[in-house]
Structure formats: structure tokens, C-alpha cells
Amino acid sequence: MAVVDTLISAVTANPALTVILVTLLALVFGAYLFIRRIIVSAAEGYDQGRR
């Protein structure tokens, strides 16, 4: 429980840092999904081209 208390106190002490970290995580996750979509679409296109 000490870890959770430390995390909560860090979030409340530095709200700007928390916003920056959440934004960075969202950008990384969004980039992952975007790149994954491109790769899956390219694979489907290659498969259709072979038929």
C-alpha cells in the first residue's frame, strides 16, 4: 500500500508532470496502433495481390 500512497502523493504534488506523462503515453500508444494498422493493411494488400 506504500507504493500506491507514494504514487498518489507524486501525482498530486506534480499535476503538470502527470499531464505530460499521460500525454506521452497516449502518443506512444496511438503511434503503435497507427503503425500496426499500416502493417496489417499492407499484409492484406499483398495477400489480395497474390490471388
Side-chain angles (χ1 to χ4, degrees):
M1 203 64 170
V3 174
V4 174
D5 292 335
T6 305
L7 184 64
I8 290 173
S9 66
V11 167
T12 56
N14 302 314
L17 180 63
T18 304
V19 169
I20 291 170
L21 288 175
V22 168
T23 303
L24 286 174
L25 283 173
L27 287 173
V28 168
F29 185 66
Y32 163 74
L33 290 177
F34 183 68
I35 292 170
R36 182 178 174 268
R37 180 179 175 191
I38 290 171
I39 292 171
V40 168
S41 296
E44 289 176 358
Y46 288 137
D47 289 341
Q48 287 181 357
R50 283 190 217 151
R51 293 181 197 170

